[in-house]
Amino acid sequence: MIKSLIINPGSTSTKVGIFEDETLVKEETLRHSTEEIESYASIIDQKDFRKNIILDFLKKESIDIKSFNVIVGRGGLLRPIPGGTYECTDALLEDLRKGVQGQHASNLGGILAREIGDEIGVPSYIVDPVVVDEMEPVARISGVPEIERVSIDHPLNQKAVARRYAKEIGKKYDEISVIVVHMGGGTSTGVHKNGKMVDVYAALNGDGAFSPERANGIPAKALVDMCFSGKYTYDEMKKKIVGYGGLNAYLGTNDMREVNKMCEEGNEKAILVRDAFVYQICKNIGACATVLKGKVDQIILTGGIAYGQVITDAIKERVDWICPVTVYPGEDELLALAQGAIRVLNGEEKAQQY
């Protein structure tokens, strides 16, 4: 049995999971007040604060820290890398501390995993961080040489559900070709071919369907005109695109459940916006099918919004002519992190070096 401690730091919380093999034994969301977080000058300065909270939680639950075989942290904003499970090496930790693609709480995941792992003498890993980039060269061309399409999205959940589907049909991840749609606060639609995510409508770079909080694909000239209109600051425009775009901008909520309620009450604007969300997701799926030349084994819908049958049924109605559709609602990130370490420790795959 492999016993793992999983650490997933967020902006105002640290999720902790304890697994025995793939069985979740204990899960806890350790929340941090705004005052606590703001008392630190940088995210990296929060390291000891978060570590002590994790250790206090384990002590409270009477869990011996030395009982773990492996420590796994959520990967942060590293350089673009292929997917996989990575050892928490010195080089990886250095780039997490620097924040080579930005500072985010997830940068602490690998740092905390390595420190705790070293103290008890067990390996530490990160798995499929948000910067996983396996795009083919042709997919990177944007039309503007100074701007390259990149992949910053939901590889942890996307790859986890693709592997889950492969296992259910008795195949390996590198033997299938699937389109995975993650629908949460951000949306991403990925093309998975032979074990790699070769193209993606990314969640954070203005690509593809709008989401509850993000505008994503916007007519370029109109956006440029808006930026130079003199009406908005740089920060205000960023918020319009990420944070206050999408459902937030049109309906004042980032919760699709609230939107569904509005629709049930006959709100015509909400119905139109929800229809547009489905419409744009389906356009993304159709475009991704051309990447695979129509040879798609399965379309997989996942993320929190996939709990809503109204949305998933509407998507199926438009795209199930391409291939069958499977729904795996939610995003079980803690399990996906545990599975990455298990694959390495069981010899199913080799730990990668950053």
Side-chain angles (χ1 to χ4, degrees):
M1 182 187 70
I2 296 171
K3 187 174 182 180
S4 56
L5 172 63
I6 312 300
I7 302 169
N8 186 358
S11 56
T12 59
S13 68
T14 303
K15 290 183 180 178
V16 177
I18 296 167
F19 286 81
E20 292 178 353
D21 291 330
E22 294 188 15
T23 301
L24 179 63
V25 175
K26 185 72 178 179
E27 177 181 357
E28 190 76 19
T29 299
L30 308 171
R31 303 195 181 278
H32 320 309
S33 69
T34 302
E35 292 76 19
E36 286 175 317
I37 294 299
E38 289 182 348
S39 67
Y40 296 95
S42 69
I43 286 171
I44 299 304
D45 290 340
Q46 299 171 20
K47 188 258 295 178
D48 289 339
F49 160 71
R50 297 209 189 213
K51 178 183 173 184
N52 289 333
I53 285 179
I54 294 169
L55 296 178
D56 287 345
F57 161 71
L58 295 175
K59 186 176 180 180
K60 178 185 174 184
E61 297 294 325
S62 300
I63 298 168
D64 182 4
I65 187 69
K66 294 181 180 179
S67 65
F68 293 105
N69 305 108
V70 63
I71 315 295
V72 189
R74 179 71 187 273
L77 295 174
L78 297 156
R79 291 180 283 104
I81 53 177
T85 299
Y86 284 78
E87 292 183 21
C88 292
T89 59
D90 291 344
L92 184 143
L93 263 61
E94 182 179 354
D95 277 2
L96 287 176
R97 292 190 186 99
K98 286 180 181 175
V100 290
Q101 288 208 73
Q103 292 291 349
H104 188 273
S106 60
N107 290 13
L108 289 167
I111 295 170
L112 290 166
R114 168 69 180 274
E115 191 162 309
I116 294 172
D118 282 357
E119 288 176 3
I120 63 173
V122 301
S124 55
Y125 302 109
I126 65 166
V127 182
D128 288 331
V130 294
V131 295
V132 165
D133 190 338
E134 300 168 330
M135 290 170 60
E136 295 177 338
V138 70
R140 300 184 185 281
I141 303 299
S142 71
V144 178
E146 294 87 351
I147 300 174
E148 184 178 83
R149 292 185 66 236
V150 297
S151 175
I152 300 181
D153 45 273
H154 306 98
L156 183 63
N157 189 44
Q158 285 226 11
K159 285 176 171 283
V161 295
R163 287 190 180 97
R164 175 179 171 182
Y165 170 73
K167 184 176 181 180
E168 288 179 0
I169 63 169
K171 291 188 176 183
K172 295 181 179 179
Y173 174 45
D174 60 8
E175 295 175 332
I176 62 172
S177 295
V178 297
I179 296 169
V180 181
V181 184
H182 176 103
M183 299 179 291
T187 60
S188 60
T189 304
V191 180
H192 298 250
K193 179 182 178 183
N194 302 131
K196 292 187 176 182
M197 193 158 65
V198 297
D199 200 353
V200 63
Y201 281 100
L204 199 58
N205 292 297
D207 259 348
F210 68 83
S211 77
E213 299 179 349
R214 298 169 188 173
N216 291 347
I218 309 169
K221 184 181 180 299
L223 179 62
V224 171
D225 290 344
M226 197 172 180
C227 289
F228 285 88
S229 67
K231 296 179 181 179
Y232 309 99
T233 66
Y234 174 77
D235 286 340
E236 286 171 339
M237 285 305 303
K238 281 181 67 178
K239 287 179 180 178
K240 280 184 172 292
I241 295 169
V242 178
Y244 295 97
L247 296 183
N248 258 341
Y250 285 99
L251 301 172
T253 179
N254 64 356
D255 191 334
M256 186 62 81
R257 293 169 298 184
E258 289 295 320
V259 175
N260 288 335
K261 186 177 178 181
M262 293 179 194
C263 293
E264 290 169 5
E265 294 169 350
N267 186 317
E268 293 185 3
K269 183 178 180 180
I271 293 169
L272 176 61
V273 172
R274 187 179 69 180
D275 286 349
F277 172 82
V278 169
Y279 181 85
Q280 291 189 13
I281 289 287
C282 293
K283 284 177 69 176
N284 290 174
I285 293 170
C288 287
T290 68
V291 175
L292 295 169
K293 300 179 181 178
K295 298 175 181 177
V296 189
D297 295 321
Q298 201 80 358
I299 295 165
I300 301 171
L301 307 179
T302 186
I305 292 175
Y307 281 111
Q309 190 173 345
V310 172
I311 298 292
T312 56
D313 283 353
I315 293 173
K316 287 178 183 179
E317 184 179 357
R318 283 188 178 271
V319 303
D320 63 4
W321 58 270
I322 299 172
C323 68
V325 180
T326 293
V327 181
Y328 296 136
E331 46 180 304
D332 203 340
E333 294 176 337
L334 296 179
L335 175 60
L337 291 167
Q339 289 171 331
I342 290 168
R343 288 193 297 271
V344 168
L345 296 179
N346 282 343
E348 296 174 43
E349 66 181 57
K350 187 177 179 181
Q352 301 212 46
Q353 298 288 315
Y354 179 69

